[in-house]
Amino acid sequence: MDSLTLACTVSLLAGGLYWFVCVLGSAEQKGKHAVQLSGGSIQRENVQDNYNQYWSFFRRPKEIEKAEKVPDFVDTFYNLVTDIYEWGWGQSFHFSPAIPGKSNLESTRIHEEMAVDLIGVKPGQKILDAGCGVGGPMRAIAAHSGCNVVGITINEYQVSRANAHNKKAGLDKLCDVVCGNFLEMPFEDESFDGAYSIEATCHAPKLEDVYSEIFRVLKPGSMYVSYEWVTTELYRGEDPEHVEIIQGIERGDALPGLRNYSDIAEVAKKVGFEVVKEKDLAKPPSQPWWSRLKMGRIAYWRNHILVMVLETLGVAPKGTVDVHEMLFKTADYLTRGGDTGIFSPMHMILLKKPEKSQES
Ligand SMILES: C=C(CC[C@@H](C)[C@H]1CC[C@H]2C3=CC[C@H]4[C@H](C)[C@@H](O)CC[C@]4(C)[C@H]3CC[C@]12C)C(C)C
Ligand SMILES: C[S@@+](CC[C@H](N)C(=O)[O-])C[C@H]1O[C@@H](n2cnc3c(N)ncnc32)[C@H](O)[C@@H]1O
């Protein structure tokens, strides 16, 4: 082979590799690239062990029932998946109904803005994002409403990602992120003008515990909206296929147990909220939220090959392939949950903390 042919072959191979890794594998919002996949706050040599530990929770269902263990197991889960989510989905870790003619990014933003519009807050007021992830919703909501948003997440790595994104977006004056447990928040009573949570409270072992904390930190007369993960009226506990789908969703998403839609308002009333509105945003005429998962299937295969290559080369930590495979399977359970109509990730509930009565 002459030197010209060799040079051409080498540049073609290098170009192909660059295209495969950086172009095909690029992050939706340039948040993460495949070559940067990590285990969050877990040291790279411990990623595999942590993944095995995560699964062992499900081999001992009694452990999951022990409420105090859940935040740790959720934290481990987010160390394992945060980079993969950012790389393959974007900075907003939730679903939204597909909107004809709109991109995924636009539909996501519309779904987020709806949350803050519902709680009727004014620019300059302070609102809480309970379970804020890396802050995709927080930035959209701060920019749209002009409110100061304080987010809380159990995962330290997400705090660092959210802070970096906030700064880059020029929204660090409006957005603050705290690492903590939303079951016992480090905030004063009656210190927020509003609150929202997007697909996050499903991680609480008892919904009552997180709702009562949010109730405590809200000022009287202010509102809270939540997009809840629930089983719908079509779910039948005696149908083995339904049980398989729901268990698949729970295992692949670090959930201590999905609740039925009919339980949500009951819990809210029990802790003192008034229920203003309740609606499953996934129901027609909304377009399927799961179509984005279905359309992504080819990309998941490509991602899987890429993750295998990167793990073999020692670029991605050992265990990344297992985590990716878990997500791959989870995407299928979620799609089946959507297709059968037994599951919704966007059961919206709008709540109000009552004004103080004259006597009190
Ligand atoms: C609210 C939660 C998370 C919801 C979603 C943001 C995530 C649920 C399943 C995730 C994914 C599944 C398949 C992955 C794919 C195999 C990979 O190549 C790229 C990332 C995925 C698309 C990933 C992205 C995020 C999800 C859609 C829960 C945890 C309460
Ligand atoms: C699926 S993500 C959604 C994040 C964000 N709402 C979004 O839509 O991008 C769930 C979030 O809830 C947080 N979370 C779960 N359990 C928590 C707890 N006990 N305390 C604080 N945050 C928690 C996770 O750390 C994660 O940030």
Side-chain angles (χ1 to χ4, degrees), residues 71 74 78 85 91-94 112 129-137 152-155 158 180-183 197-200 203-204:
V74 171
Y78 281 106
Y85 276 18
Q91 296 173 15
S92 292
F93 295 174
H94 64 80
E112 294 167 347
D129 181 337
C132 65
V134 298
I152 185 166
T153 165
I154 194 77
N155 184 257
Q158 291 189 337
N181 186 350
F182 57 34
L183 305 173
S197 41
I198 301 186
E199 302 187 23
H203 288 296

Side-chain angles (χ1 to χ4, degrees), residues 124-340:
Q125 288 192 314
K126 187 168 90 161
I127 59 177
L128 169 71
D129 181 337
C132 65
V134 298
M138 162 191 280
R139 285 180 287 284
I141 282 173
H144 176 68
S145 67
C147 286
N148 294 292
V149 188
V150 179
I152 185 166
T153 165
I154 194 77
N155 184 257
E156 187 76 61
Y157 181 66
Q158 291 189 337
V159 176
S160 63
R161 294 296 299 158
N163 280 331
H165 290 311
N166 290 347
K167 201 152 186 212
K168 205 164 169 194
L171 287 164
D172 48 329
K173 298 263 179 309
L174 284 183
C175 300
D176 248 330
V177 189
V178 172
C179 189
N181 186 350
F182 57 34
L183 305 173
E184 32 188 314
M185 291 193 279
F187 306 126
E188 300 277 305
D189 293 358
E190 304 186 359
S191 52
F192 286 93
D193 301 294
Y196 66 90
S197 41
I198 301 186
E199 302 187 23
T201 48
C202 48
H203 288 296
K206 287 197 201 125
L207 192 62
E208 203 174 322
D209 292 348
V210 57
Y211 275 16
S212 58
E213 263 302 86
I214 291 167
F215 186 88
R216 178 182 69 76
V217 301
L218 279 177
K219 291 180 186 167
S222 55
M223 312 255 268
Y224 166 55
V225 67
S226 184
Y227 295 167
E228 292 290 340
W229 277 34
V230 293
T231 54
T232 68
E233 69 288 353
L234 297 179
Y235 175 72
R236 298 276 166 271
E238 64 283 3
D239 182 329
E241 197 203 344
H242 288 191
V243 174
E244 186 206 341
I245 295 171
I246 296 305
Q247 279 186 356
I249 293 175
E250 289 168 352
R251 289 178 183 170
D253 293 289
L255 304 179
L258 270 170
R259 288 171 263 273
N260 187 253
Y261 79 102
S262 58
D263 299 334
I264 311 295
E266 285 316 305
V267 173
K269 284 188 242 169
K270 197 168 157 200
V271 307
F273 279 117
E274 284 167 12
V275 178
V276 179
K277 196 172 174 187
E278 196 178 9
K279 185 180 177 188
D280 187 348
L281 301 175
K283 290 250 185 314
S286 288
Q287 297 294 307
W289 54 266
W290 61 99
S291 57
R292 184 175 170 192
L293 281 176
K294 269 190 177 165
M295 286 184 314
R297 270 191 196 147
I298 295 172
Y300 305 159
W301 277 110
R302 177 210 62 209
N303 288 356
H304 203 59
I305 297 169
L306 191 52
V307 169
M308 285 199 284
V309 172
L310 293 172
E311 188 177 306
T312 309
L313 293 177
V315 177
K318 206 166 175 323
T320 314
V321 172
D322 285 345
V323 177
H324 192 264
E325 196 176 338
M326 170 186 81
L327 294 180
F328 203 122
K329 289 183 181 151
T330 308
D332 199 50
Y333 284 120
L334 286 161
T335 306
R336 286 168 66 192
D339 275 334
T340 52

